[in-house]
Amino acid sequence: MRIEISGQTFQSDFVKKVAEISGESVLSCNQCGKCSAGCPMAFAMDWLPNQIIRLVQLGIEEDIAKSKTPWICASCLTCSVRCPRGVDLGRLMEAVRLLTLRRNIDYVAAAKIPPDALGEMPQIALVGGFRKHTA
Amino acid sequence: MENHVETPVTRKALVIGGGVAGIQAALDIADAGHEVFLVEKSPSIGGHMIQYSEVFPTLDCPQCILTPKMVEVGQHPKIKLLTYSEVAQVSGQMGHFTVRVKRKSPYVDWEKCTGCGECANVCPVEVYSEFERGIAKQKAIYKPFGQAVPAVFTVDKKGIAPCRAACPLQVNAQGYVALISQGRFTEALNLVREKTPFPGICGRICTHPCESQCLRGEMDMPLAINDLKRFVADQEKEPAADLTIASEREGKVAIIGAGPAGLMAAYELRKMGYQVTIFEALPAAGGMMRAGIPEYRLPRDILEKEVSLIQKMGVAIRFDTTIGEQVTLAALKDEFNTVFIAAGAHVSAKLGVEGEDLAGVKHGIDFLREVNLNGKSEVGERVVVVGGGNAAIDAARTAYRLGAKTVSIVYRRSREEMPAIPGEVIEAEGEGIKISYLTDPVRIVGENGRVRGIECLRTKLGPPDESGRRRSIPVEGSEFFLEADMIIPAIGQVPDVAFLGSEIRIGLKPGNRLEVDDTTLQTTADGIFAGGDVVTGPNTVIDALAAGRRAAISIDRYLRGESLTIDREDAGLPVSELKVDMAGISQQRRTDMPAVPPAQRTGNFREVALGLSEEEAIREAGRCLACPGCSECRSCEKVCEPKVIDHQMVERYEELEVGAIVLATGFELIPREAIAEFEPDPDILEGIQFERILCPGGSTAGVVMRPSDQKIPREVVFISCVGSRDPEHGVPYCSRVCCMYLVKMAMLHKHAVPDGQAYIFYMDVRSTGKGYEEFVQRAVEEDGVLYLRGRVSRVFRDGEKLKVCGVDTLSGKNVDISCDLVVLGLAMVSDPAGQELAQRLGIAIDEYGFITEVHPKLNPLETSVPGIYVAGTAQGPRDIPDSVAQASGAASKVLALFSTGEPVSGGVGPR
Amino acid sequence: MDLSYYPGCTLKTKAKGLEAPAVAAMAALGVNLVEISRWNCCGAVYSLADDDLAHHLAPVRNLIRVHEQGADKVSTLCSFCYNTLKRANQLVQRDEVKRRTLNDFMEEEKDYQGEVAVVHLLEVLRDDIGWDNISAKVKVPLQGLRVAPYYGCTLLRPQEIAIDRVERPAILHQLMEAIGAEVVDFPFSTECCGSFQIISNPDSVTQRAWDILSSALKRGAEALVLTCPLCYFNLGQRQAELKQKYIDFTGMPVFYFSQLLALALALDSRVCHLELNYADPLPLLEDKRLLV
């Protein structure tokens, strides 16, 4: 599938909001891919972390919105500490998630998790998981 | 800006840095007829280029193309080569610089060195090789590489090894350890004997201060230096010590006491040619080594063998002669020119508790003396020893051997404060001797005049006392009773000074110790010296030996009527601040001596420690880190035919007058630690290391082997941009040459290992030189080098393989490769020494230490200081052709200055 | 020595095995952990959004509690709490504008300027007590116990809150050496266990657990030692599933560092709550004769 890009696509509101919420400069990324190479959750992602940044750089909102990647990210920050350009990818992923969550769309429903499993989990898992994945 | 000078410029140039840029600049200027000084910090010119295997894109061998230029430099009548030298100071200005150059000491007279290499053949010390970048080692006396110019040898000597400096006798521990590592046991023993005639004794009972200072202890365990000394002593079947006496001299010396201090003084004085007589109260020589130390620690044949050498030299020992009884001190003073008192400390200190005079109480040193001289003594069935020093442990272990059923030790402090040798304590425990710490005897309880037991108190530790050990404080109401039929108080010894008499007054210190001058050991009476335990109280054998030597030096000076204090020969060795890079060294266990099993130790006095085998000794000696480089064993001196090695050579300074300077100080690689996610591993190499492995003239003779196991690496991963283009961890700039040198090495690997596979992780391929892109294409198409577009996040060991976790952003896949070897394309950074020099010269450098040119486009050769020009990688990363072209450019700037005869002003823009 | 201490929710419920032996061990080492009163949940995860201040109120409030209770330093034990409190504290210290907004929002509280230092208990062990002093108090050296230190994420990342080097940290290695264990270094010691993804993507966490455990096994470890209740859960609780999936895998005990420290100090092993461990550690400890 071909996409058309223009000044409008990569200067869209979406791109601006990601930059604003994350406080990161997406243009600093030179796509070396070190974030992806070291990402412990990459095996479960549909787009690699560096590709998510690339999609932001190009302003391709649809693919990002459909991607599982930001929801698989565990905010472990391995990418952030190894990024040669000092881009905190963890913050970018958070911004992408928040753009969905702030529209009151949850990624996970508490009701669907078996109560046994919930009861067993440490509080930090519950509080952390719901804070990252629900509005 | 006008710039007038009165005198014409000095038409001589200084080139700093002997890499390819410096070589080119020097040759160009010299060929134009001007004198050039070429200063290089390492012993040879050649720089990094001569380390490489082949150069891109022509695959020329640098040894073939650079060596002729190096030889030309060496032979050029207009070039004065100053290698192993550093520019210390530059003053003056364009046209008239005065340069102060430090000529480091190579400890070899280069004018006369023939470069034959006999010295390196015999040198036992192996050290890090800068040229081989750690891939192979070099000897401590070395020529950096085969084609080195000048072709001479240099000694790598950074100071005095801490083991040697720590020895009160200055025995060259590093030296003999190195010789042992080479299996050269006789030479090792001879080196020990230069400082002590008692290697077998010292090797057994020395408290080895050397080992406490051993730098190896910082990474695992100190070397077993003492066991190694014992090993070489034991190798000798017939003593072959050099007993030559210098010509006989006037002067008769009386020595009181044939212990370590007395024997050492006798040995030294007799060697100098004096007449020496020792007066010994006991029927045998050795002092505490005989009367105090049990035979299972120091076999008597060893003691006798080494002591008898002293007698063989002509020292008379009068046994069974107690001063004050058979002969008085005053009489000795009359008969002899000087007297050395080394009477030791042989009186047991008393506990001062009730019952100490009961039958069954025997004081430690009295007990030991009886056993050691007569071979036997009565022991009880249940023996309690009081004390925590070596005499206590010796007494307990001796009682065990004489058949006591139970032996225990009570000590009022804890194990940490115990002064006994820790190894001896462990052995004692192994023999079933129970040690009760924090236990203080209150009284000895008797029945019918015989010992029935001992009442003790528990103690706790308070603040440290004046000895630095923590004070023991009794715990109220904690009394308890230990049954025993023999009590051995062994809480210390004091000298017996009754023999001094009253005719000669000698000052005393508390504890019956003789007062002496610390440096000369002279007592308060003129011509009477004293040393050893009689001065210090109970102390180590090694300190007593050192005191004996110190006294001998004083006595010799006294007899010759010289100052006792000025320029003494026994001034300590300087302690050097030495650092060892432990990164590449793996932990290795210290080799322990085998020992007689505890069950076989009762009823006999067989030596417990059995000594190292030859194989063990060589292995243990191999653990030495050779921290100062050269050990000064002086093996090299012995084989050097032109006699050009001078271990005392010092650095010197030279002044040069020049009109212009070319800086070509080169580059270094960014330290690997900057990129910490790559585990330290012997098979993760920096580029230059792999160059050395690929090089046909390298240590592996061109066979490509990986360092960990010498296997041929089939799968090799090359990683670009390590530390470069990485402002967060390294440097932000592009290092320019890595793309090309990595692909070159990938190609060479494929040529050397035809069934191999090379992978290159890259971000962009920057192949901007002539023929470079074609070269890259050839590597891909002909040699199957696989390019993967992305960075690597980490590398770690996975069994025999290394696991590389990277990404190929073109396919959008994370890529893992299990490979045999990883080569890092580390960023070029400015050479730290060059950077420091530029700062000292006031030359502008950028934030990365590279020299800033006057104008980046139009004036790339001039530095901020007029008359000083820059060439090569000192200005920033670049490859060989660019460096050489720039060097010729810098040379032409110098020549322009020389031809006009007057300085031209620098400035921005073209002229 | 008294030391102010923030426990957090998990330690009071699921992670007794982390807290109880830590409190006891610190007492044995001469440090009295004084729990701050009226603490609240720290929020578990630090908000990474630039425009989100609301989520920083909870951790900052806890720091205000510490400050008003007269302490200038608070120790934490839970890795998540450490991360959240430390980062919120740095935000207050470094961003004046956000500090003002936060203080304005919490009208009922006294203004907070970042006066309190946040430390993890491992730092206290290293910097205030010292490995040598710990070694000297060890009564049961964990000789022969081959244990792999696992750090997880939140004590090390981001860089500015790291309690040690970000790459190849050593602090847990050093503690294990100090108490006599045989340390097994393994390449996954700082790799994420999957964290809170246990809620939404439990299968991914199972995969992470296997990567980590199998790597430690391959290097010869008999047990993992870690600091974080969530790592403990993910690497312990998932083992039941892993045992079914990988027939050769027989389980691997996972310890909190505090449990091993307490055992080495010969404290009553009941304080360690070893019965709560997912993979039963008793056979291993008995085999090594480490239970007194």
Side-chain angles (χ1 to χ4, degrees), chain C residues 110-125:
Chain C
K110 261 183 85 180
D111 276 8
Y112 179 67
Q113 319 285 344
E115 293 91 339
V116 171
V118 179
V119 296
H120 189 268
L121 215 63
L122 279 173
E123 296 177 282
V124 177
L125 290 171

Side-chain angles (χ1 to χ4, degrees), chain B residues 553-870:
Chain B
I553 290 167
S554 294
I555 288 169
D556 170 48
R557 285 164 168 255
Y558 179 87
L559 293 175
R560 285 189 288 118
E562 278 186 19
S563 159
L564 297 190
T565 51
I566 298 167
D567 289 337
R568 285 180 65 94
E569 299 81 343
D570 56 357
L573 291 169
V575 178
S576 316
E577 279 292 320
L578 296 170
K579 273 198 220 110
V580 184
D581 181 14
M582 315 249 183
I585 301 160
S586 51
Q587 299 219 336
Q588 204 185 334
R589 276 187 66 86
R590 174 182 161 117
T591 318
D592 292 322
M593 287 191 288
V596 174
Q600 295 171 24
R601 295 182 195 168
T602 182
N604 67 69
F605 281 84
R606 270 175 63 195
E607 185 168 26
V608 168
L610 294 175
L612 297 170
S613 70
E614 189 173 315
E615 189 191 332
E616 286 167 336
I618 290 174
R619 169 159 34 102
E620 180 61 18
R623 291 176 68 235
C624 176
L625 299 173
C627 39
C630 169
S631 69
E632 295 189 342
C633 73
R634 301 197 309 280
S635 297
C636 50
E637 281 181 4
K638 293 175 192 125
V639 297
C640 178
E641 270 188 32
K643 301 285 168 220
V644 297
I645 298 164
D646 175 7
H647 279 284
Q648 313 307 322
M649 186 185 272
V650 290
E651 64 185 31
R652 59 197 169 83
Y653 286 84
E654 226 168 272
E655 278 207 350
L656 313 174
E657 299 290 335
V658 297
I661 299 173
V662 176
L663 283 181
T665 47
F667 73 96
E668 246 313 314
L669 296 178
I670 195 167
R672 246 163 85 166
E673 297 74 51
I675 311 298
E677 57 267 29
F678 301 156
E679 265 188 357
D681 190 287
D683 294 329
I684 302 181
L685 303 178
E686 54 173 48
I688 302 179
Q689 289 177 320
F690 196 47
E691 295 274 7
R692 294 310 306 149
I693 290 176
L694 288 168
C695 184
S699 60
T700 60
V703 180
V704 178
M705 302 192 277
R706 63 177 198 171
S708 67
D709 54 10
Q710 279 75 52
K711 286 190 182 153
I712 292 173
R714 302 203 185 277
E715 308 264 323
V716 180
V717 171
F718 297 85
I719 305 176
S720 315
C721 303
V722 180
S724 62
R725 305 173 76 189
D726 185 347
E728 288 292 310
H729 310 89
V731 294
Y733 54 80
C734 167
S735 183
R736 274 186 71 178
V737 296
C738 323
C739 285
M740 290 311 298
Y741 85 69
L742 289 179
V743 67
K744 174 203 72 183
M745 288 193 284
M747 192 186 266
L748 293 178
H749 166 254
K750 180 73 181 175
H751 294 173
V753 185
D755 60 343
Q757 176 64 52
Y759 306 85
I760 302 180
F761 281 96
Y762 75 106
M763 286 175 61
D764 312 273
V765 179
R766 298 188 168 170
S767 49
T768 55
K770 211 185 248 186
Y772 290 10
E773 178 61 16
E774 298 89 320
F775 187 82
V776 172
Q777 286 306 322
R778 204 173 105 203
V780 172
E781 290 164 20
E782 292 177 21
D783 298 307
V785 173
L786 182 68
Y787 273 90
L788 293 154
R789 198 275 163 197
R791 279 201 193 247
V792 167
S793 183
R794 55 195 306 233
V795 180
F796 58 85
R797 180 150 289 272
D798 187 20
E800 283 211 346
K801 297 282 185 176
L802 288 165
K803 182 89 153 242
V804 178
C805 303
V807 65
D808 177 51
T809 60
L810 299 182
S811 59
K813 301 282 183 204
N814 273 350
V815 176
D816 287 351
I817 300 175
S818 276
C819 63
D820 303 307
L821 191 76
V822 170
V823 180
L824 307 177
L826 290 165
M828 270 180 153
V829 295
S830 78
D831 181 82
Q835 191 176 329
E836 194 261 334
L837 174 68
Q839 277 166 325
R840 214 152 7 96
L841 267 48
I843 291 170
I845 53 176
D846 65 21
E847 58 187 306
Y848 310 108
F850 291 117
I851 290 164
T852 311
E853 59 280 17
V854 167
H855 189 276
K857 296 246 178 270
L858 300 176
N859 208 343
L861 302 170
E862 292 179 24
T863 71
S864 63
V865 176
I868 303 185
Y869 308 95
V870 60

Side-chain angles (χ1 to χ4, degrees), chain C residues 83-153:
Chain C
N83 187 279
T84 310
L85 292 181
K86 182 98 178 182
R87 294 195 75 177
N89 202 36
Q90 284 185 351
L91 180 82
V92 170
Q93 287 166 345
R94 294 174 186 181
D95 190 325
E96 205 182 316
V97 177
K98 287 185 175 146
R99 173 170 71 220
R100 214 174 306 130
T101 316
L102 284 167
N103 277 321
D104 287 351
F105 192 84
M106 294 182 284
E107 261 182 21
E108 74 286 6
E109 307 281 9
K110 261 183 85 180
D111 276 8
Y112 179 67
Q113 319 285 344
E115 293 91 339
V116 171
V118 179
V119 296
H120 189 268
L121 215 63
L122 279 173
E123 296 177 282
V124 177
L125 290 171
R126 177 189 62 195
D127 303 335
D128 299 337
I129 299 176
W131 305 133
D132 289 347
N133 288 326
I134 294 171
S135 288
K137 296 228 164 111
V138 165
K139 297 213 173 66
V140 186
L142 306 186
Q143 250 157 9
L145 183 70
R146 294 199 303 276
V147 58
Y150 175 76
Y151 294 84
C153 307

Side-chain angles (χ1 to χ4, degrees), chain A residues 30-89:
Chain A
N30 62 8
Q31 286 294 314
C32 73
K34 193 159 185 166
C35 47
S36 301
C39 178
M41 300 299 282
F43 68 91
M45 293 171 172
D46 48 3
W47 293 92
L48 287 178
N50 74 291
Q51 293 177 309
I52 295 292
I53 307 189
R54 188 64 187 151
L55 293 172
V56 178
Q57 286 175 336
L58 299 177
I60 306 174
E61 186 180 348
E62 275 164 60
D63 288 285
I64 299 172
K66 278 188 275 175
S67 171
K68 287 199 305 185
T69 294
W71 305 99
I72 301 289
C73 164
S75 298
C76 77
L77 305 188
T78 303
C79 50
S80 308
V81 297
R82 290 194 189 144
C83 176
R85 306 285 310 163
V87 178
D88 191 341
L89 182 51

Side-chain angles (χ1 to χ4, degrees), chain B residues 58-210:
Chain B
T58 50
L59 296 188
D60 285 317
C61 143
Q63 284 72 32
C64 313
I65 59 171
L66 187 59
T67 308
K69 279 186 187 279
M70 290 163 59
V71 172
E72 205 183 329
V73 167
Q75 296 175 346
H76 204 294
K78 289 284 182 189
I79 298 177
K80 181 164 183 218
L81 192 51
L82 294 87
T83 63
Y84 212 45
S85 299
E86 283 163 16
V87 170
Q89 208 187 346
V90 175
S91 56
Q93 55 184 318
M94 183 179 204
H96 306 277
F97 293 109
T98 302
V99 182
R100 201 168 138 79
V101 178
K102 177 164 101 177
R103 310 289 312 266
K104 291 180 278 190
S105 167
Y107 303 99
V108 172
D109 183 348
W110 279 2
E111 299 296 316
K112 298 188 194 131
C113 175
T114 60
C116 69
E118 285 299 321
C119 50
N121 288 341
V122 299
C123 175
V125 178
E126 287 197 330
V127 295
Y128 176 85
S129 163
E130 183 60 48
F131 180 74
E132 296 288 350
R133 297 293 275 205
I135 287 296
K137 292 197 148 197
Q138 67 187 18
K139 292 298 185 65
I141 185 162
Y142 68 102
K143 187 169 82 168
F145 50 95
Q147 309 84 350
V149 173
V152 289
F153 280 76
T154 301
V155 178
D156 178 353
K157 182 155 71 178
K158 299 175 194 79
I160 304 278
C163 49
R164 181 174 161 206
C167 178
L169 288 180
Q170 302 172 359
V171 176
N172 188 346
Q174 189 210 345
Y176 71 74
V177 167
L179 288 162
I180 292 170
S181 76
Q182 306 272 309
R184 288 154 63 182
F185 307 137
T186 311
E187 287 168 84
L189 184 57
N190 288 340
L191 194 60
V192 177
R193 283 224 173 93
E194 285 184 12
K195 295 292 182 184
T196 171
F198 309 118
I201 296 172
C202 290
R204 285 174 167 80
I205 56 167
C206 184
T207 46
H208 42 75
C210 47

